[in-house]
Amino acid sequence: MAKKHVVVLTGAGMSAESGVSTFRDSGGLWEQYRVEQVATPEGWHEDPKLVTDFYNGLRRQLLTKEPCEGHRLLAEMEQDCNVSIITQNVDDLHERAGSSRVLHLHGELFKVTSSMNPNDPRQIRTLKDDEWEVKIGDKAPDGSQLRPFIVWFGEAVPNIEPAAEICSQADVFLIIGTSLNVYPAAGLIQYVPQGCPIYLIDPKEVSIPACMPVTHIRKGASEGMREFLRTLQP
Ligand code: OAD
Protein backbone atom coordinates (compact mmCIF):
# COMPACT_ATOMS: atom_id res chain seq x y z
CA MET A 1 0.00 0.00 0.00
CA ALA A 2 1.27 3.49 -0.86
CA LYS A 3 2.42 5.51 2.11
CA LYS A 4 0.17 8.36 3.23
CA HIS A 5 1.39 11.87 2.48
CA VAL A 6 1.15 13.81 5.75
CA VAL A 7 1.62 17.56 5.26
CA VAL A 8 2.45 19.44 8.45
CA LEU A 9 2.22 23.21 8.90
CA THR A 10 4.13 24.32 11.98
CA GLY A 11 4.46 27.59 13.88
CA ALA A 12 6.16 28.94 16.96
CA GLY A 13 4.19 26.67 19.34
CA MET A 14 6.02 23.69 17.77
CA SER A 15 9.26 24.92 19.35
CA ALA A 16 7.76 26.28 22.61
CA GLU A 17 8.67 23.08 24.50
CA SER A 18 12.25 23.51 23.31
CA GLY A 19 12.28 26.84 25.14
CA VAL A 20 11.89 29.07 22.06
CA SER A 21 9.51 32.02 22.60
CA THR A 22 6.30 32.21 20.64
CA PHE A 23 5.24 35.59 19.23
CA ARG A 24 1.69 36.33 20.33
CA ASP A 25 1.22 34.38 23.58
CA SER A 26 1.54 36.42 26.75
CA GLY A 27 5.25 37.10 27.30
CA GLY A 28 5.82 36.36 23.59
CA LEU A 29 8.44 38.08 21.45
CA TRP A 30 6.07 40.73 20.09
CA GLU A 31 5.36 41.91 23.63
CA GLN A 32 9.06 42.53 24.13
CA TYR A 33 10.02 44.06 20.77
CA ARG A 34 8.28 46.24 18.24
CA VAL A 35 7.60 44.29 15.05
CA GLU A 36 8.15 47.45 12.95
CA GLN A 37 11.64 47.87 14.40
CA VAL A 38 13.00 44.35 14.01
CA ALA A 39 10.88 42.60 11.38
CA THR A 40 10.25 45.06 8.54
CA PRO A 41 12.42 46.45 5.72
CA GLU A 42 11.71 49.95 7.12
CA GLY A 43 13.11 48.93 10.52
CA TRP A 44 16.23 47.59 8.79
CA HIS A 45 16.77 50.83 6.84
CA GLU A 46 16.29 52.90 9.95
CA ASP A 47 18.65 50.97 12.23
CA PRO A 48 20.51 48.00 10.70
CA LYS A 49 22.65 47.60 13.84
CA LEU A 50 19.64 47.19 16.11
CA VAL A 51 18.15 44.61 13.72
CA THR A 52 21.49 42.79 13.33
CA ASP A 53 21.89 42.61 17.12
CA PHE A 54 18.31 41.34 17.55
CA TYR A 55 18.92 38.38 15.21
CA ASN A 56 22.37 37.77 16.71
CA GLY A 57 20.59 37.40 20.06
CA LEU A 58 18.05 34.94 18.62
CA ARG A 59 20.88 32.91 17.05
CA ARG A 60 22.83 32.78 20.28
CA GLN A 61 19.72 31.56 22.14
CA LEU A 62 18.92 28.96 19.50
CA LEU A 63 22.37 27.40 19.89
CA THR A 64 21.39 26.44 23.44
CA LYS A 65 18.07 24.79 22.43
CA GLU A 66 17.33 21.21 21.44
CA PRO A 67 14.46 19.65 19.47
CA CYS A 68 11.53 18.57 21.68
CA GLU A 69 9.75 15.23 21.59
CA GLY A 70 7.21 16.68 19.13
CA HIS A 71 9.98 17.48 16.62
CA ARG A 72 11.43 13.98 17.08
CA LEU A 73 8.06 12.23 16.62
CA LEU A 74 7.53 14.13 13.36
CA ALA A 75 10.93 12.96 12.15
CA GLU A 76 10.21 9.35 13.18
CA MET A 77 6.89 9.47 11.33
CA GLU A 78 8.94 9.31 8.09
CA GLN A 79 9.36 5.57 8.72
CA ASP A 80 5.66 5.00 8.01
CA CYS A 81 4.50 8.04 6.01
CA ASN A 82 5.71 10.52 3.44
CA VAL A 83 6.04 13.63 5.56
CA SER A 84 6.36 17.17 4.22
CA ILE A 85 6.89 19.91 6.77
CA ILE A 86 6.05 23.50 5.94
CA THR A 87 7.25 25.69 8.76
CA GLN A 88 6.86 29.35 9.63
CA ASN A 89 9.69 28.89 12.12
CA VAL A 90 13.12 30.26 11.43
CA ASP A 91 14.80 27.79 13.80
CA ASP A 92 16.43 24.58 12.56
CA LEU A 93 14.89 22.25 15.15
CA HIS A 94 12.97 20.14 12.60
CA GLU A 95 16.20 19.50 10.68
CA ARG A 96 18.16 18.78 13.86
CA ALA A 97 15.46 16.28 14.90
CA GLY A 98 16.04 14.45 11.59
CA SER A 99 13.15 15.57 9.36
CA SER A 100 14.26 15.39 5.75
CA ARG A 101 11.69 17.52 3.90
CA VAL A 102 11.32 20.92 5.53
CA LEU A 103 10.24 24.04 3.65
CA HIS A 104 10.80 27.32 5.50
CA LEU A 105 8.27 30.03 4.68
CA HIS A 106 9.76 32.86 6.74
CA GLY A 107 13.47 32.22 6.25
CA GLU A 108 16.16 30.62 8.39
CA LEU A 109 17.95 32.14 11.35
CA PHE A 110 21.30 30.55 10.54
CA LYS A 111 21.31 31.91 7.00
CA VAL A 112 22.35 35.38 5.91
CA THR A 113 21.98 37.14 2.61
CA SER A 114 22.54 40.34 0.69
CA SER A 115 20.59 43.42 1.73
CA MET A 116 20.45 44.39 -1.96
CA ASN A 117 19.28 41.06 -3.48
CA PRO A 118 17.98 38.98 -0.57
CA ASN A 119 16.41 36.22 -2.67
CA ASP A 120 19.34 35.71 -5.06
CA PRO A 121 20.52 32.15 -4.23
CA ARG A 122 24.15 33.18 -4.90
CA GLN A 123 23.99 35.61 -1.98
CA ILE A 124 22.55 33.23 0.61
CA ARG A 125 24.99 31.55 2.99
CA THR A 126 24.59 29.29 6.01
CA LEU A 127 26.52 30.48 9.06
CA LYS A 128 28.57 27.98 11.02
CA ASP A 129 27.75 27.71 14.74
CA ASP A 130 30.71 29.94 15.68
CA GLU A 131 29.71 32.61 13.14
CA TRP A 132 26.40 33.50 14.84
CA GLU A 133 27.47 37.07 15.53
CA VAL A 134 27.07 39.14 12.36
CA LYS A 135 28.56 42.63 12.41
CA ILE A 136 27.86 45.84 10.57
CA GLY A 137 30.51 45.82 7.85
CA ASP A 138 30.15 42.07 7.10
CA LYS A 139 29.46 41.85 3.38
CA ALA A 140 27.50 39.57 1.05
CA PRO A 141 29.20 38.38 -2.19
CA ASP A 142 27.63 41.36 -4.03
CA GLY A 143 29.33 43.80 -1.65
CA SER A 144 26.20 44.86 0.25
CA GLN A 145 25.76 44.62 4.02
CA LEU A 146 24.78 41.12 5.19
CA ARG A 147 21.23 40.88 6.48
CA PRO A 148 19.36 38.00 8.09
CA PHE A 149 17.72 35.57 5.66
CA ILE A 150 14.34 36.28 7.20
CA VAL A 151 11.13 37.19 5.40
CA TRP A 152 10.03 40.42 7.05
CA PHE A 153 6.52 41.84 7.18
CA GLY A 154 5.77 43.58 3.90
CA GLU A 155 8.12 41.30 1.91
CA ALA A 156 7.12 38.62 -0.58
CA VAL A 157 7.13 34.99 0.60
CA PRO A 158 8.98 33.20 -2.22
CA ASN A 159 8.22 29.70 -0.89
CA ILE A 160 4.46 30.17 -0.77
CA GLU A 161 3.88 28.65 -4.22
CA PRO A 162 5.80 25.42 -3.59
CA ALA A 163 4.05 25.26 -0.19
CA ALA A 164 0.60 25.55 -1.79
CA GLU A 165 1.54 22.79 -4.25
CA ILE A 166 2.60 20.50 -1.38
CA CYS A 167 -0.67 21.21 0.48
CA SER A 168 -2.68 20.27 -2.60
CA GLN A 169 -1.09 16.80 -2.48
CA ALA A 170 -1.93 16.05 1.17
CA ASP A 171 -3.66 12.85 2.29
CA VAL A 172 -3.64 14.17 5.87
CA PHE A 173 -3.07 17.79 6.92
CA LEU A 174 -1.70 18.56 10.38
CA ILE A 175 -1.32 22.04 11.88
CA ILE A 176 0.86 22.46 14.99
CA GLY A 177 1.36 25.55 17.14
CA THR A 178 0.42 28.47 14.95
CA SER A 179 -2.13 31.17 15.70
CA LEU A 180 -2.78 31.44 11.92
CA ASN A 181 -2.58 35.22 12.17
CA VAL A 182 -0.02 35.75 9.44
CA TYR A 183 -0.80 35.55 5.73
CA PRO A 184 -0.10 34.12 3.24
CA ALA A 185 0.90 31.14 5.46
CA ALA A 186 -2.51 31.06 7.16
CA GLY A 187 -4.20 30.73 3.76
CA LEU A 188 -2.41 27.47 2.89
CA ILE A 189 -5.29 25.45 4.35
CA GLN A 190 -7.36 26.58 1.35
CA TYR A 191 -5.17 24.39 -0.90
CA VAL A 192 -5.83 21.18 1.05
CA PRO A 193 -7.98 18.83 -1.05
CA GLN A 194 -11.65 18.52 -0.09
CA GLY A 195 -12.24 15.55 2.17
CA CYS A 196 -8.64 15.44 3.41
CA PRO A 197 -8.65 14.97 7.20
CA ILE A 198 -7.32 18.05 9.01
CA TYR A 199 -5.86 17.92 12.53
CA LEU A 200 -4.82 20.81 14.75
CA ILE A 201 -2.49 20.45 17.75
CA ASP A 202 -2.65 23.57 19.92
CA PRO A 203 -3.58 24.04 23.58
CA LYS A 204 -5.59 27.13 22.64
CA GLU A 205 -8.47 27.94 20.32
CA VAL A 206 -7.33 28.80 16.77
CA SER A 207 -9.74 30.18 14.23
CA ILE A 208 -9.44 28.18 11.06
CA PRO A 209 -10.20 30.43 8.08
CA ALA A 210 -12.29 27.92 6.18
CA CYS A 211 -15.46 25.93 6.73
CA MET A 212 -13.54 22.68 6.99
CA PRO A 213 -14.02 20.05 9.70
CA VAL A 214 -10.94 20.02 11.93
CA THR A 215 -10.05 17.58 14.69
CA HIS A 216 -8.58 19.77 17.43
CA ILE A 217 -6.14 18.03 19.79
CA ARG A 218 -5.99 20.56 22.65
CA LYS A 219 -2.52 19.68 23.84
CA GLY A 220 1.06 20.87 23.55
CA ALA A 221 3.13 19.76 20.56
CA SER A 222 4.74 16.65 22.13
CA GLU A 223 1.71 15.21 23.91
CA GLY A 224 -0.45 16.22 20.94
CA MET A 225 1.87 14.36 18.53
CA ARG A 226 1.60 11.20 20.63
CA GLU A 227 -2.20 11.41 20.45
CA PHE A 228 -2.13 12.19 16.71
CA LEU A 229 0.04 9.12 16.02
CA ARG A 230 -2.45 6.93 17.87
CA THR A 231 -5.33 8.20 15.71
CA LEU A 232 -3.27 7.73 12.53
CA GLN A 233 -2.68 4.03 13.16
CA PRO A 234 -4.86 1.80 10.96
P1 OAD B 1 2.17 32.74 17.32
O1 OAD B 1 2.96 33.20 18.51
O2 OAD B 1 1.28 33.73 16.66
O3 OAD B 1 1.26 31.49 17.73
C1 OAD B 1 1.77 30.45 18.50
C2 OAD B 1 0.72 29.37 18.67
O4 OAD B 1 1.33 28.29 19.36
C3 OAD B 1 -0.51 29.80 19.48
O5 OAD B 1 -1.69 29.37 18.83
C4 OAD B 1 -0.31 29.05 20.81
O6 OAD B 1 -1.54 28.68 21.44
C5 OAD B 1 0.45 27.82 20.35
N1 OAD B 1 1.24 27.14 21.40
C6 OAD B 1 1.82 27.66 22.50
N2 OAD B 1 2.49 26.72 23.19
C7 OAD B 1 2.33 25.56 22.49
C8 OAD B 1 2.79 24.22 22.67
N3 OAD B 1 3.54 23.86 23.71
N4 OAD B 1 2.44 23.30 21.75
C9 OAD B 1 1.68 23.64 20.67
N5 OAD B 1 1.22 24.87 20.46
C10 OAD B 1 1.54 25.83 21.35
O7 OAD B 1 3.23 32.13 16.28
P2 OAD B 1 3.07 31.81 14.72
O8 OAD B 1 1.66 31.49 14.38
O9 OAD B 1 4.11 30.82 14.38
O10 OAD B 1 6.94 35.68 11.36
O11 OAD B 1 3.45 33.19 14.08
C11 OAD B 1 3.52 33.30 12.67
C12 OAD B 1 4.57 34.30 12.27
O12 OAD B 1 4.39 35.53 12.98
C13 OAD B 1 5.99 33.89 12.64
O13 OAD B 1 6.57 33.03 11.68
C14 OAD B 1 6.72 35.19 12.70
C15 OAD B 1 5.68 35.99 13.45
O14 OAD B 1 5.70 37.36 13.30
C16 OAD B 1 7.98 36.48 11.10
O15 OAD B 1 8.76 36.82 11.96
C17 OAD B 1 8.08 36.90 9.68
Side-chain angles (χ1 to χ4, degrees):
M1 211 168 67
K3 285 180 172 180
K4 273 187 186 155
H5 184 204
V6 182
V7 177
V8 191
L9 174 65
T10 66
M14 180 78 230
S15 300
E17 289 158 30
S18 294
V20 178
S21 286
T22 60
F23 295 95
R24 295 174 185 79
D25 288 308
S26 95
L29 221 49
W30 294 154
E31 257 180 33
Q32 302 165 50
Y33 297 91
R34 279 182 44 227
V35 182
E36 306 79 43
Q37 251 178 350
V38 297
T40 62
E42 293 77 18
W44 168 257
H45 288 302
E46 202 164 295
D47 195 342
K49 171 141 178 29
L50 183 138
V51 176
T52 298
D53 288 345
F54 172 74
Y55 290 95
N56 283 342
L58 293 185
R59 268 184 222 111
R60 194 184 53 212
Q61 273 176 29
L62 182 55
L63 283 170
T64 67
K65 311 296 181 200
E66 296 292 338
C68 70
E69 187 191 352
H71 292 108
R72 285 193 293 272
L73 290 174
L74 277 175
E76 281 168 24
M77 201 161 71
E78 291 189 10
Q79 289 163 13
D80 303 311
C81 306
N82 288 322
V83 182
S84 300
I85 297 178
I86 302 168
T87 188
Q88 297 165 85
N89 298 345
V90 297
D91 65 52
D92 57 354
L93 295 173
H94 283 304
E95 288 90 341
R96 282 203 258 148
S99 284
S100 56
R101 271 189 305 279
V102 184
L103 184 71
H104 286 266
L105 288 176
H106 294 160
E108 293 173 67
L109 199 48
F110 269 93
K111 288 188 177 171
V112 284
T113 188
S114 146
S115 45
M116 225 151 56
N117 303 294
N119 293 314
D120 176 350
R122 292 167 304 179
Q123 308 300 326
I124 301 165
R125 182 165 81 80
T126 304
L127 297 169
K128 298 192 187 77
D129 282 3
D130 61 356
E131 293 178 314
W132 59 269
E133 190 168 17
V134 176
K135 297 197 173 62
I136 295 298
D138 290 350
K139 300 274 166 50
D142 65 6
S144 69
Q145 171 63 41
L146 274 187
R147 63 162 264 184
F149 183 61
I150 301 288
V151 176
W152 286 323
F153 287 97
E155 294 188 314
V157 180
N159 277 341
I160 200 69
E161 277 185 28
E165 178 63 26
I166 293 168
C167 291
S168 73
Q169 293 160 5
D171 295 319
V172 176
F173 192 67
L174 170 62
I175 304 168
I176 308 178
T178 170
S179 62
L180 292 178
N181 265 297
V182 175
Y183 282 80
L188 283 172
I189 194 168
Q190 313 280 359
Y191 294 88
V192 174
Q194 257 196 342
C196 168
I198 302 176
Y199 293 84
L200 165 72
I201 299 177
D202 199 302
K204 290 203 195 131
E205 211 51 55
V206 175
S207 80
I208 302 285
C211 37
M212 292 169 152
V214 174
T215 306
H216 189 172
I217 301 174
R218 269 169 236 273
K219 305 242 161 89
S222 299
E223 207 186 339
M225 266 308 292
R226 270 182 259 137
E227 186 166 327
F228 171 74
L229 289 172
R230 283 196 294 273
T231 62
L232 202 64
Q233 273 166 4

